[in-house]
Amino acid sequence: QVQVVESGGGLVQAGGSLRLSCAASGRTYSSYAMGWFRQAPGKEREFLAVNIESGGHTYYGDSVKGRFTISRDNAKNTVYLQMNSLEPEDTAVYYCAAAYSSKTYTIVLVRTTLWYDYWGQGTQVTVSS
């Protein structure tokens, strides 16, 4: 099993940056795909990014491509989400998720919440105008 805990959320002005961290437990952390989602009030959970190290793939959601970057440090069992050029529309609760990377995946599947096996509790990001 894997437990994931997000941190790094907070209040930032529009145009600013934040880096979220997701610490994961588990002996085989490097074999998990790690992703980020967000959910704003009244909206569905939105895919942001995923890193599938076993397959050598990284995918991004269209709304954050070019502004957000996912990275991971396997030595620290941590995945990061660097967020730049933040906008008030980025205000949401941000979630980290893990999936067994041995699972079959497609560029469509990894964008769905159902593909992921473990979720963190989320961290709030608020962008002021």
Side-chain angles (χ1 to χ4, degrees):
Q1 282 199 352
V2 172
Q3 291 183 328
V4 294
V5 178
E6 306 93 337
S7 62
L11 176 65
V12 63
Q13 288 190 330
S17 298
L18 274 178
R19 188 178 78 160
L20 304 182
S21 300
C22 172
S25 65
R27 293 184 299 170
T28 56
Y29 163 78
S30 61
S31 66
Y32 287 89
M34 301 298 297
W36 287 95
F37 285 72
R38 68 185 179 189
Q39 189 165 18
K43 294 188 176 181
E44 293 185 353
R45 199 162 290 192
E46 177 189 10
F47 168 77
L48 300 178
V50 64
N51 173 264
I52 309 170
E53 190 162 280
S54 63
H57 291 120
T58 298
Y59 301 112
Y60 290 94
D62 292 339
S63 64
V64 302
K65 197 176 298 183
R67 296 191 300 129
F68 292 9
T69 303
I70 188 171
S71 61
R72 65 195 291 166
D73 184 339
N74 288 338
K76 296 182 178 180
N77 283 7
T78 301
V79 64
Y80 304 97
L81 187 68
Q82 177 67 43
M83 306 185 296
N84 299 327
S85 302
L86 285 164
E87 305 164 350
E89 293 73 24
D90 295 316
T91 295
V93 178
Y94 283 68
Y95 296 92
C96 179
Y100 295 108
S101 60
S102 60
K103 295 164 61 173
T104 300
Y105 66 91
T106 66
I107 194 171
V108 173
L109 263 179
V110 299
R111 296 167 185 263
T112 67
T113 58
L114 293 176
W115 189 72
Y116 296 83
D117 302 294
Y118 303 100
W119 291 85
Q121 294 299 308
T123 185
Q124 176 71 46
V125 171
T126 302
V127 184
S128 63
S129 57

mmCIF file with all atom_site columns, all heavy atoms in Angstrom, residues 43-64:
data_model
loop_
_atom_site.group_PDB
_atom_site.id
_atom_site.type_symbol
_atom_site.label_atom_id
_atom_site.label_alt_id
_atom_site.label_comp_id
_atom_site.label_asym_id
_atom_site.label_entity_id
_atom_site.label_seq_id
_atom_site.pdbx_PDB_ins_code
_atom_site.Cartn_x
_atom_site.Cartn_y
_atom_site.Cartn_z
_atom_site.occupancy
_atom_site.B_iso_or_equiv
_atom_site.pdbx_formal_charge
_atom_site.auth_seq_id
_atom_site.auth_comp_id
_atom_site.auth_asym_id
_atom_site.auth_atom_id
_atom_site.pdbx_PDB_model_num
ATOM 1   N N   . LYS A 1 43 ? -17.209 21.964 -8.811  1.00 0.00 ? 43 LYS A N   1
ATOM 2   C CA  . LYS A 1 43 ? -16.687 21.411 -10.067 1.00 0.00 ? 43 LYS A CA  1
ATOM 3   C C   . LYS A 1 43 ? -16.165 19.994 -9.855  1.00 0.00 ? 43 LYS A C   1
ATOM 4   O O   . LYS A 1 43 ? -15.896 19.576 -8.730  1.00 0.00 ? 43 LYS A O   1
ATOM 5   C CB  . LYS A 1 43 ? -15.579 22.308 -10.614 1.00 0.00 ? 43 LYS A CB  1
ATOM 6   C CG  . LYS A 1 43 ? -16.053 23.688 -11.038 1.00 0.00 ? 43 LYS A CG  1
ATOM 7   C CD  . LYS A 1 43 ? -14.967 24.448 -11.748 1.00 0.00 ? 43 LYS A CD  1
ATOM 8   C CE  . LYS A 1 43 ? -15.465 25.792 -12.253 1.00 0.00 ? 43 LYS A CE  1
ATOM 9   N NZ  . LYS A 1 43 ? -14.411 26.534 -12.982 1.00 0.00 ? 43 LYS A NZ  1
ATOM 10  N N   . GLU A 1 44 ? -16.000 19.283 -10.965 1.00 0.00 ? 44 GLU A N   1
ATOM 11  C CA  . GLU A 1 44 ? -15.452 17.939 -10.906 1.00 0.00 ? 44 GLU A CA  1
ATOM 12  C C   . GLU A 1 44 ? -13.939 18.004 -10.678 1.00 0.00 ? 44 GLU A C   1
ATOM 13  O O   . GLU A 1 44 ? -13.288 19.007 -10.953 1.00 0.00 ? 44 GLU A O   1
ATOM 14  C CB  . GLU A 1 44 ? -15.754 17.188 -12.203 1.00 0.00 ? 44 GLU A CB  1
ATOM 15  C CG  . GLU A 1 44 ? -17.223 16.890 -12.417 1.00 0.00 ? 44 GLU A CG  1
ATOM 16  C CD  . GLU A 1 44 ? -17.459 16.037 -13.649 1.00 0.00 ? 44 GLU A CD  1
ATOM 17  O OE1 . GLU A 1 44 ? -16.491 15.792 -14.395 1.00 0.00 ? 44 GLU A OE1 1
ATOM 18  O OE2 . GLU A 1 44 ? -18.604 15.609 -13.854 1.00 0.00 ? 44 GLU A OE2 1
ATOM 19  N N   . ARG A 1 45 ? -13.410 16.882 -10.183 1.00 0.00 ? 45 ARG A N   1
ATOM 20  C CA  . ARG A 1 45 ? -11.968 16.799 -9.994  1.00 0.00 ? 45 ARG A CA  1
ATOM 21  C C   . ARG A 1 45 ? -11.287 16.799 -11.371 1.00 0.00 ? 45 ARG A C   1
ATOM 22  O O   . ARG A 1 45 ? -11.645 16.025 -12.263 1.00 0.00 ? 45 ARG A O   1
ATOM 23  C CB  . ARG A 1 45 ? -11.621 15.533 -9.208  1.00 0.00 ? 45 ARG A CB  1
ATOM 24  C CG  . ARG A 1 45 ? -10.253 15.574 -8.587  1.00 0.00 ? 45 ARG A CG  1
ATOM 25  C CD  . ARG A 1 45 ? -10.104 14.544 -7.494  1.00 0.00 ? 45 ARG A CD  1
ATOM 26  N NE  . ARG A 1 45 ? -10.909 14.874 -6.316  1.00 0.00 ? 45 ARG A NE  1
ATOM 27  C CZ  . ARG A 1 45 ? -10.780 14.259 -5.143  1.00 0.00 ? 45 ARG A CZ  1
ATOM 28  N NH1 . ARG A 1 45 ? -9.874  13.311 -4.991  1.00 0.00 ? 45 ARG A NH1 1
ATOM 29  N NH2 . ARG A 1 45 ? -11.543 14.596 -4.131  1.00 0.00 ? 45 ARG A NH2 1
ATOM 30  N N   . GLU A 1 46 ? -10.299 17.672 -11.504 1.00 0.00 ? 46 GLU A N   1
ATOM 31  C CA  . GLU A 1 46 ? -9.650  17.910 -12.796 1.00 0.00 ? 46 GLU A CA  1
ATOM 32  C C   . GLU A 1 46 ? -8.233  17.363 -12.810 1.00 0.00 ? 46 GLU A C   1
ATOM 33  O O   . GLU A 1 46 ? -7.439  17.615 -11.898 1.00 0.00 ? 46 GLU A O   1
ATOM 34  C CB  . GLU A 1 46 ? -9.612  19.421 -13.074 1.00 0.00 ? 46 GLU A CB  1
ATOM 35  C CG  . GLU A 1 46 ? -8.907  19.806 -14.358 1.00 0.00 ? 46 GLU A CG  1
ATOM 36  C CD  . GLU A 1 46 ? -8.705  21.309 -14.487 1.00 0.00 ? 46 GLU A CD  1
ATOM 37  O OE1 . GLU A 1 46 ? -8.937  22.035 -13.490 1.00 0.00 ? 46 GLU A OE1 1
ATOM 38  O OE2 . GLU A 1 46 ? -8.308  21.767 -15.573 1.00 0.00 ? 46 GLU A OE2 1
ATOM 39  N N   . PHE A 1 47 ? -7.910  16.632 -13.858 1.00 0.00 ? 47 PHE A N   1
ATOM 40  C CA  . PHE A 1 47 ? -6.564  16.093 -14.025 1.00 0.00 ? 47 PHE A CA  1
ATOM 41  C C   . PHE A 1 47 ? -5.578  17.216 -14.339 1.00 0.00 ? 47 PHE A C   1
ATOM 42  O O   . PHE A 1 47 ? -5.860  18.083 -15.183 1.00 0.00 ? 47 PHE A O   1
ATOM 43  C CB  . PHE A 1 47 ? -6.560  15.075 -15.160 1.00 0.00 ? 47 PHE A CB  1
ATOM 44  C CG  . PHE A 1 47 ? -5.179  14.664 -15.610 1.00 0.00 ? 47 PHE A CG  1
ATOM 45  C CD1 . PHE A 1 47 ? -4.433  13.775 -14.853 1.00 0.00 ? 47 PHE A CD1 1
ATOM 46  C CD2 . PHE A 1 47 ? -4.627  15.169 -16.770 1.00 0.00 ? 47 PHE A CD2 1
ATOM 47  C CE1 . PHE A 1 47 ? -3.157  13.403 -15.247 1.00 0.00 ? 47 PHE A CE1 1
ATOM 48  C CE2 . PHE A 1 47 ? -3.367  14.808 -17.187 1.00 0.00 ? 47 PHE A CE2 1
ATOM 49  C CZ  . PHE A 1 47 ? -2.631  13.919 -16.431 1.00 0.00 ? 47 PHE A CZ  1
ATOM 50  N N   . LEU A 1 48 ? -4.417  17.181 -13.686 1.00 0.00 ? 48 LEU A N   1
ATOM 51  C CA  . LEU A 1 48 ? -3.385  18.175 -13.933 1.00 0.00 ? 48 LEU A CA  1
ATOM 52  C C   . LEU A 1 48 ? -2.127  17.568 -14.565 1.00 0.00 ? 48 LEU A C   1
ATOM 53  O O   . LEU A 1 48 ? -1.623  18.081 -15.563 1.00 0.00 ? 48 LEU A O   1
ATOM 54  C CB  . LEU A 1 48 ? -2.982  18.862 -12.629 1.00 0.00 ? 48 LEU A CB  1
ATOM 55  C CG  . LEU A 1 48 ? -4.095  19.593 -11.884 1.00 0.00 ? 48 LEU A CG  1
ATOM 56  C CD1 . LEU A 1 48 ? -3.557  20.173 -10.588 1.00 0.00 ? 48 LEU A CD1 1
ATOM 57  C CD2 . LEU A 1 48 ? -4.712  20.670 -12.752 1.00 0.00 ? 48 LEU A CD2 1
ATOM 58  N N   . ALA A 1 49 ? -1.618  16.512 -13.962 1.00 0.00 ? 49 ALA A N   1
ATOM 59  C CA  . ALA A 1 49 ? -0.359  15.941 -14.450 1.00 0.00 ? 49 ALA A CA  1
ATOM 60  C C   . ALA A 1 49 ? -0.151  14.561 -13.854 1.00 0.00 ? 49 ALA A C   1
ATOM 61  O O   . ALA A 1 49 ? -0.666  14.262 -12.777 1.00 0.00 ? 49 ALA A O   1
ATOM 62  C CB  . ALA A 1 49 ? 0.815   16.843 -14.071 1.00 0.00 ? 49 ALA A CB  1
ATOM 63  N N   . VAL A 1 50 ? 0.618   13.752 -14.563 1.00 0.00 ? 50 VAL A N   1
ATOM 64  C CA  . VAL A 1 50 ? 0.995   12.432 -14.053 1.00 0.00 ? 50 VAL A CA  1
ATOM 65  C C   . VAL A 1 50 ? 2.378   12.084 -14.571 1.00 0.00 ? 50 VAL A C   1
ATOM 66  O O   . VAL A 1 50 ? 2.743   12.432 -15.695 1.00 0.00 ? 50 VAL A O   1
ATOM 67  C CB  . VAL A 1 50 ? -0.028  11.350 -14.454 1.00 0.00 ? 50 VAL A CB  1
ATOM 68  C CG1 . VAL A 1 50 ? -0.075  11.181 -15.962 1.00 0.00 ? 50 VAL A CG1 1
ATOM 69  C CG2 . VAL A 1 50 ? 0.284   10.017 -13.774 1.00 0.00 ? 50 VAL A CG2 1
ATOM 70  N N   . ASN A 1 51 ? 3.139   11.428 -13.705 1.00 0.00 ? 51 ASN A N   1
ATOM 71  C CA  . ASN A 1 51 ? 4.436   10.892 -14.086 1.00 0.00 ? 51 ASN A CA  1
ATOM 72  C C   . ASN A 1 51 ? 4.401   9.378  -13.934 1.00 0.00 ? 51 ASN A C   1
ATOM 73  O O   . ASN A 1 51 ? 4.122   8.874  -12.844 1.00 0.00 ? 51 ASN A O   1
ATOM 74  C CB  . ASN A 1 51 ? 5.533   11.478 -13.210 1.00 0.00 ? 51 ASN A CB  1
ATOM 75  C CG  . ASN A 1 51 ? 6.877   10.816 -13.475 1.00 0.00 ? 51 ASN A CG  1
ATOM 76  O OD1 . ASN A 1 51 ? 7.267   9.895  -12.767 1.00 0.00 ? 51 ASN A OD1 1
ATOM 77  N ND2 . ASN A 1 51 ? 7.572   11.259 -14.497 1.00 0.00 ? 51 ASN A ND2 1
ATOM 78  N N   . ILE A 1 52 ? 4.637   8.688  -15.040 1.00 0.00 ? 52 ILE A N   1
ATOM 79  C CA  . ILE A 1 52 ? 4.660   7.228  -15.040 1.00 0.00 ? 52 ILE A CA  1
ATOM 80  C C   . ILE A 1 52 ? 6.093   6.828  -15.335 1.00 0.00 ? 52 ILE A C   1
ATOM 81  O O   . ILE A 1 52 ? 6.488   6.671  -16.497 1.00 0.00 ? 52 ILE A O   1
ATOM 82  C CB  . ILE A 1 52 ? 3.692   6.652  -16.085 1.00 0.00 ? 52 ILE A CB  1
ATOM 83  C CG1 . ILE A 1 52 ? 2.312   7.286  -15.920 1.00 0.00 ? 52 ILE A CG1 1
ATOM 84  C CG2 . ILE A 1 52 ? 3.604   5.142  -15.951 1.00 0.00 ? 52 ILE A CG2 1
ATOM 85  C CD1 . ILE A 1 52 ? 1.361   6.972  -17.043 1.00 0.00 ? 52 ILE A CD1 1
ATOM 86  N N   . GLU A 1 53 ? 6.873   6.685  -14.285 1.00 0.00 ? 53 GLU A N   1
ATOM 87  C CA  . GLU A 1 53 ? 8.303   6.488  -14.475 1.00 0.00 ? 53 GLU A CA  1
ATOM 88  C C   . GLU A 1 53 ? 8.610   5.173  -15.167 1.00 0.00 ? 53 GLU A C   1
ATOM 89  O O   . GLU A 1 53 ? 9.499   5.118  -16.020 1.00 0.00 ? 53 GLU A O   1
ATOM 90  C CB  . GLU A 1 53 ? 9.013   6.561  -13.130 1.00 0.00 ? 53 GLU A CB  1
ATOM 91  C CG  . GLU A 1 53 ? 10.518  6.601  -13.248 1.00 0.00 ? 53 GLU A CG  1
ATOM 92  C CD  . GLU A 1 53 ? 11.148  7.113  -11.982 1.00 0.00 ? 53 GLU A CD  1
ATOM 93  O OE1 . GLU A 1 53 ? 11.174  8.332  -11.783 1.00 0.00 ? 53 GLU A OE1 1
ATOM 94  O OE2 . GLU A 1 53 ? 11.601  6.270  -11.182 1.00 0.00 ? 53 GLU A OE2 1
ATOM 95  N N   . SER A 1 54 ? 7.851   4.138  -14.852 1.00 0.00 ? 54 SER A N   1
ATOM 96  C CA  . SER A 1 54 ? 8.133   2.830  -15.440 1.00 0.00 ? 54 SER A CA  1
ATOM 97  C C   . SER A 1 54 ? 7.967   2.856  -16.943 1.00 0.00 ? 54 SER A C   1
ATOM 98  O O   . SER A 1 54 ? 8.646   2.132  -17.669 1.00 0.00 ? 54 SER A O   1
ATOM 99  C CB  . SER A 1 54 ? 7.241   1.770  -14.816 1.00 0.00 ? 54 SER A CB  1
ATOM 100 O OG  . SER A 1 54 ? 5.882   2.044  -15.095 1.00 0.00 ? 54 SER A OG  1
ATOM 101 N N   . GLY A 1 55 ? 7.050   3.676  -17.412 1.00 0.00 ? 55 GLY A N   1
ATOM 102 C CA  . GLY A 1 55 ? 6.814   3.774  -18.844 1.00 0.00 ? 55 GLY A CA  1
ATOM 103 C C   . GLY A 1 55 ? 7.516   4.947  -19.492 1.00 0.00 ? 55 GLY A C   1
ATOM 104 O O   . GLY A 1 55 ? 7.501   5.105  -20.705 1.00 0.00 ? 55 GLY A O   1
ATOM 105 N N   . GLY A 1 56 ? 8.123   5.774  -18.654 1.00 0.00 ? 56 GLY A N   1
ATOM 106 C CA  . GLY A 1 56 ? 8.826   6.937  -19.178 1.00 0.00 ? 56 GLY A CA  1
ATOM 107 C C   . GLY A 1 56 ? 7.905   8.004  -19.733 1.00 0.00 ? 56 GLY A C   1
ATOM 108 O O   . GLY A 1 56 ? 8.270   8.743  -20.653 1.00 0.00 ? 56 GLY A O   1
ATOM 109 N N   . HIS A 1 57 ? 6.691   8.100  -19.193 1.00 0.00 ? 57 HIS A N   1
ATOM 110 C CA  . HIS A 1 57 ? 5.732   9.070  -19.714 1.00 0.00 ? 57 HIS A CA  1
ATOM 111 C C   . HIS A 1 57 ? 5.348   10.100 -18.663 1.00 0.00 ? 57 HIS A C   1
ATOM 112 O O   . HIS A 1 57 ? 5.230   9.781  -17.471 1.00 0.00 ? 57 HIS A O   1
ATOM 113 C CB  . HIS A 1 57 ? 4.455   8.355  -20.180 1.00 0.00 ? 57 HIS A CB  1
ATOM 114 C CG  . HIS A 1 57 ? 4.658   7.524  -21.400 1.00 0.00 ? 57 HIS A CG  1
ATOM 115 N ND1 . HIS A 1 57 ? 4.439   6.163  -21.408 1.00 0.00 ? 57 HIS A ND1 1
ATOM 116 C CD2 . HIS A 1 57 ? 5.071   7.852  -22.647 1.00 0.00 ? 57 HIS A CD2 1
ATOM 117 C CE1 . HIS A 1 57 ? 4.703   5.694  -22.625 1.00 0.00 ? 57 HIS A CE1 1
ATOM 118 N NE2 . HIS A 1 57 ? 5.087   6.693  -23.393 1.00 0.00 ? 57 HIS A NE2 1
ATOM 119 N N   . THR A 1 58 ? 5.147   11.308 -19.125 1.00 0.00 ? 58 THR A N   1
ATOM 120 C CA  . THR A 1 58 ? 4.589   12.391 -18.338 1.00 0.00 ? 58 THR A CA  1
ATOM 121 C C   . THR A 1 58 ? 3.511   13.063 -19.172 1.00 0.00 ? 58 THR A C   1
ATOM 122 O O   . THR A 1 58 ? 3.739   13.378 -20.348 1.00 0.00 ? 58 THR A O   1
ATOM 123 C CB  . THR A 1 58 ? 5.658   13.409 -17.938 1.00 0.00 ? 58 THR A CB  1
ATOM 124 O OG1 . THR A 1 58 ? 6.654   12.771 -17.126 1.00 0.00 ? 58 THR A OG1 1
ATOM 125 C CG2 . THR A 1 58 ? 5.053   14.558 -17.152 1.00 0.00 ? 58 THR A CG2 1
ATOM 126 N N   . TYR A 1 59 ? 2.352   13.250 -18.565 1.00 0.00 ? 59 TYR A N   1
ATOM 127 C CA  . TYR A 1 59 ? 1.243   13.880 -19.270 1.00 0.00 ? 59 TYR A CA  1
ATOM 128 C C   . TYR A 1 59 ? 0.740   15.061 -18.452 1.00 0.00 ? 59 TYR A C   1
ATOM 129 O O   . TYR A 1 59 ? 0.775   15.036 -17.221 1.00 0.00 ? 59 TYR A O   1
ATOM 130 C CB  . TYR A 1 59 ? 0.094   12.891 -19.480 1.00 0.00 ? 59 TYR A CB  1
ATOM 131 C CG  . TYR A 1 59 ? 0.463   11.666 -20.273 1.00 0.00 ? 59 TYR A CG  1
ATOM 132 C CD1 . TYR A 1 59 ? 0.483   10.413 -19.649 1.00 0.00 ? 59 TYR A CD1 1
ATOM 133 C CD2 . TYR A 1 59 ? 0.770   11.738 -21.623 1.00 0.00 ? 59 TYR A CD2 1
ATOM 134 C CE1 . TYR A 1 59 ? 0.798   9.275  -20.372 1.00 0.00 ? 59 TYR A CE1 1
ATOM 135 C CE2 . TYR A 1 59 ? 1.093   10.600 -22.342 1.00 0.00 ? 59 TYR A CE2 1
ATOM 136 C CZ  . TYR A 1 59 ? 1.109   9.363  -21.708 1.00 0.00 ? 59 TYR A CZ  1
ATOM 137 O OH  . TYR A 1 59 ? 1.434   8.241  -22.429 1.00 0.00 ? 59 TYR A OH  1
ATOM 138 N N   . TYR A 1 60 ? 0.204   16.044 -19.156 1.00 0.00 ? 60 TYR A N   1
ATOM 139 C CA  . TYR A 1 60 ? -0.354  17.224 -18.509 1.00 0.00 ? 60 TYR A CA  1
ATOM 140 C C   . TYR A 1 60 ? -1.756  17.503 -19.013 1.00 0.00 ? 60 TYR A C   1
ATOM 141 O O   . TYR A 1 60 ? -2.089  17.212 -20.164 1.00 0.00 ? 60 TYR A O   1
ATOM 142 C CB  . TYR A 1 60 ? 0.510   18.466 -18.796 1.00 0.00 ? 60 TYR A CB  1
ATOM 143 C CG  . TYR A 1 60 ? 1.850   18.441 -18.115 1.00 0.00 ? 60 TYR A CG  1
ATOM 144 C CD1 . TYR A 1 60 ? 2.976   17.955 -18.767 1.00 0.00 ? 60 TYR A CD1 1
ATOM 145 C CD2 . TYR A 1 60 ? 1.984   18.892 -16.803 1.00 0.00 ? 60 TYR A CD2 1
ATOM 146 C CE1 . TYR A 1 60 ? 4.210   17.929 -18.137 1.00 0.00 ? 60 TYR A CE1 1
ATOM 147 C CE2 . TYR A 1 60 ? 3.216   18.865 -16.166 1.00 0.00 ? 60 TYR A CE2 1
ATOM 148 C CZ  . TYR A 1 60 ? 4.322   18.377 -16.843 1.00 0.00 ? 60 TYR A CZ  1
ATOM 149 O OH  . TYR A 1 60 ? 5.538   18.339 -16.214 1.00 0.00 ? 60 TYR A OH  1
ATOM 150 N N   . GLY A 1 61 ? -2.558  18.100 -18.130 1.00 0.00 ? 61 GLY A N   1
ATOM 151 C CA  . GLY A 1 61 ? -3.856  18.573 -18.539 1.00 0.00 ? 61 GLY A CA  1
ATOM 152 C C   . GLY A 1 61 ? -3.716  19.830 -19.379 1.00 0.00 ? 61 GLY A C   1
ATOM 153 O O   . GLY A 1 61 ? -2.771  20.605 -19.211 1.00 0.00 ? 61 GLY A O   1
ATOM 154 N N   . ASP A 1 62 ? -4.660  20.053 -20.261 1.00 0.00 ? 62 ASP A N   1
ATOM 155 C CA  . ASP A 1 62 ? -4.561  21.169 -21.193 1.00 0.00 ? 62 ASP A CA  1
ATOM 156 C C   . ASP A 1 62 ? -4.542  22.516 -20.473 1.00 0.00 ? 62 ASP A C   1
ATOM 157 O O   . ASP A 1 62 ? -3.887  23.456 -20.931 1.00 0.00 ? 62 ASP A O   1
ATOM 158 C CB  . ASP A 1 62 ? -5.727  21.127 -22.186 1.00 0.00 ? 62 ASP A CB  1
ATOM 159 C CG  . ASP A 1 62 ? -5.643  19.946 -23.138 1.00 0.00 ? 62 ASP A CG  1
ATOM 160 O OD1 . ASP A 1 62 ? -4.531  19.408 -23.316 1.00 0.00 ? 62 ASP A OD1 1
ATOM 161 O OD2 . ASP A 1 62 ? -6.691  19.570 -23.699 1.00 0.00 ? 62 ASP A OD2 1
ATOM 162 N N   . SER A 1 63 ? -5.256  22.624 -19.364 1.00 0.00 ? 63 SER A N   1
ATOM 163 C CA  . SER A 1 63 ? -5.374  23.919 -18.693 1.00 0.00 ? 63 SER A CA  1
ATOM 164 C C   . SER A 1 63 ? -4.093  24.345 -17.984 1.00 0.00 ? 63 SER A C   1
ATOM 165 O O   . SER A 1 63 ? -3.942  25.519 -17.645 1.00 0.00 ? 63 SER A O   1
ATOM 166 C CB  . SER A 1 63 ? -6.524  23.880 -17.681 1.00 0.00 ? 63 SER A CB  1
ATOM 167 O OG  . SER A 1 63 ? -6.247  22.947 -16.653 1.00 0.00 ? 63 SER A OG  1
ATOM 168 N N   . VAL A 1 64 ? -3.157  23.421 -17.776 1.00 0.00 ? 64 VAL A N   1
ATOM 169 C CA  . VAL A 1 64 ? -1.944  23.768 -17.042 1.00 0.00 ? 64 VAL A CA  1
ATOM 170 C C   . VAL A 1 64 ? -0.677  23.530 -17.832 1.00 0.00 ? 64 VAL A C   1
ATOM 171 O O   . VAL A 1 64 ? 0.424   23.826 -17.351 1.00 0.00 ? 64 VAL A O   1
ATOM 172 C CB  . VAL A 1 64 ? -1.870  22.992 -15.709 1.00 0.00 ? 64 VAL A CB  1
ATOM 173 C CG1 . VAL A 1 64 ? -3.093  23.296 -14.852 1.00 0.00 ? 64 VAL A CG1 1
ATOM 174 C CG2 . VAL A 1 64 ? -1.728  21.490 -15.955 1.00 0.00 ? 64 VAL A CG2 1
#
